[in-house]
């Protein structure tokens, strides 16, 4: 898939989420299907985030020690999903932010999220199922109110697709 190499260094990205209070996360196969994923990446499902942090999969590692010595070697063990801490302008009437806040308070809601990255012509979709935690509102007087939350992807429940 050559498109991510083309657009990810200088991409423009947006974050979308399933819009219902009781979502049914997409299947792993559907997470890699551009028609299914792009249907979620519509303005009504957009989360008003300030920036998209690094996303995708990282290598999980294991550290070990030998006979009690302090060893800091790390051995790649598997692919691990990257949690994303998101900052957004807090708007108490934004329906998507209210849904995400409810998910964080529950702690048990699995929802499909889509990151749409584009170079202006072509689009790459990274879709994943995840849970939200740590929803905080910073209502600083004299400044714009912000909210922060962390999305934790579920292991091996992600997919990449693109428009070319």
């Amino acid at each position: 898939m050559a498109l991510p190499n083309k657009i990810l260094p200088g991409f423009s990205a947006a974050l979308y989420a399933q819009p219902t209070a009781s979502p049914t996360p997409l299947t792993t196969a559907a997470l890699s299907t551009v028609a299914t994923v792009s249907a979620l990446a519509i303005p009504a499902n957009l989360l008003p985030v300030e920036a998209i942090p690094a996303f995708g999969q990282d290598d999980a590692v294991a550290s070990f020690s030998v006979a009690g010595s302090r060893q800091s070697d790390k051995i790649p063990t598997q692919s691990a999903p990257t949690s994303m801490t998101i900052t957004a302008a807090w708007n108490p009437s934004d329906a998507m932010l209210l849904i995400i806040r409810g998910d964080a308070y529950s702690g048990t809601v699995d929802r499909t999220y889509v990151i749409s990255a584009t170079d202006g012509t072509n689009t790459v979709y990274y879709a994943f199922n995840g849970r939200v935690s740590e929803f905080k509102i910073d209502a600083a007087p004299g400044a714009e109110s912000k909210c922060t939350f962390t999305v934790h992807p579920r292991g091996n429940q992600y997919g990449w697709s693109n428009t070319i």
Side-chain angles (χ1 to χ4, degrees):
M1 190 159 86
L3 188 57
N5 293 333
K6 177 183 169 193
I7 70 166
L8 291 182
F11 65 93
S12 172
L15 178 64
Y16 302 88
Q18 281 180 311
T20 63
S22 300
T24 301
L26 296 178
T27 64
T28 303
L31 291 170
S32 297
T33 306
V34 71
T36 305
V37 171
S38 64
L40 289 175
I42 60 172
N45 299 340
L46 181 67
L47 289 165
V49 303
E50 291 186 347
I52 303 294
F55 58 90
Q57 301 288 107
D58 286 337
D59 290 330
V61 294
S63 297
F64 66 94
S65 61
V66 178
S69 66
R70 296 180 82 129
Q71 187 78 14
S72 62
D73 294 338
K74 295 182 178 180
I75 302 170
T77 57
Q78 64 185 17
S79 181
T82 302
S83 293
M84 297 184 301
T85 299
I86 306 290
T87 301
W90 171 242
N91 178 352
S93 63
D94 185 289
M96 290 307 297
L97 286 178
L98 294 175
I99 287 173
I100 298 303
R101 183 177 69 173
D103 287 0
Y105 291 166
S106 165
T108 61
V109 178
D110 287 338
R111 181 178 303 281
T112 298
Y113 295 87
V114 176
I115 295 175
S116 167
T118 183
D119 66 353
T121 304
N122 301 302
T123 304
V124 171
Y125 297 104
Y126 172 64
F128 62 95
N129 295 328
R131 289 185 180 177
V132 175
S133 69
E134 303 175 47
F135 193 97
K136 298 175 190 169
I137 299 170
D138 179 14
E144 182 181 35
S145 297
K146 306 277 184 190
C147 63
T148 58
F149 55 92
T150 303
V151 180
H152 303 283
R154 309 289 280 162
N156 297 322
Q157 295 183 28
Y158 68 95
W160 292 90
S161 58
N162 65 59
T163 57
I164 60 169

